[in-house]
Amino acid sequence: QVQLVESGGGLVQAGGSLRLSCAASGRTFSTYGMGWFRQAPGKEREFVASITSNGVDTVYADSVKGRFTISRNNAENTVSLQMNSLKPEDTAVYRCAARAVLHNSYDYWGQGTQVTVSS
């Protein structure tokens, strides 16, 4: 069982930066792949970025590539999303998720944190 709690959201002007954090409970955090997803009002949830359990490999959505960076600290049970050059279209609720090894879908989800980018 893994519990996830996001923090770091807020209101920022276009071109600014935010850093989201996701704190995980449980002693097996290092065995989970982690991902960030977002959902804007009236839109479907979309994938933002993911990182493997050992932190070696990352994947990004094309819309955030070059602007966002996902990282993790297995000693502290955290995963972060550094967001730079933010755009109004990045406005959404951002949620982190955990996926067990060999699972095709994410098993655990956080409640989310709101990110609002003003133009």
Side-chain angles (χ1 to χ4, degrees):
Q1 190 82 359
V2 176
Q3 292 184 324
L4 304 172
V5 179
E6 302 93 339
S7 62
L11 174 64
V12 64
Q13 288 188 333
S17 298
L18 280 176
R19 185 176 180 86
L20 304 183
S21 293
C22 175
S25 65
R27 294 176 293 177
T28 59
F29 174 75
S30 62
T31 66
Y32 286 85
M34 298 297 297
W36 284 97
F37 293 77
R38 67 186 182 186
Q39 187 166 16
K43 295 188 177 181
E44 293 187 354
R45 184 176 64 201
E46 66 171 337
F47 167 80
V48 175
S50 65
I51 188 166
T52 51
S53 58
N54 59 7
V56 171
D57 295 311
T58 58
V59 178
Y60 296 93
D62 287 343
S63 59
V64 306
K65 203 171 293 183
R67 300 188 299 122
F68 291 10
T69 303
I70 188 171
S71 61
R72 67 187 296 161
N73 184 327
N74 285 344
E76 296 185 355
N77 281 16
T78 59
V79 61
S80 298
L81 186 69
Q82 177 66 42
M83 306 186 295
N84 299 329
S85 302
L86 283 161
K87 305 174 182 180
E89 51 263 43
D90 294 319
T91 296
V93 174
Y94 285 71
R95 301 175 71 186
C96 66
R99 182 175 64 184
V101 174
L102 301 181
H103 283 200
N104 292 326
S105 60
Y106 284 82
D107 304 280
Y108 303 102
W109 293 83
Q111 292 293 327
T113 185
Q114 176 70 46
V115 171
T116 303
V117 184
S118 64
S119 57

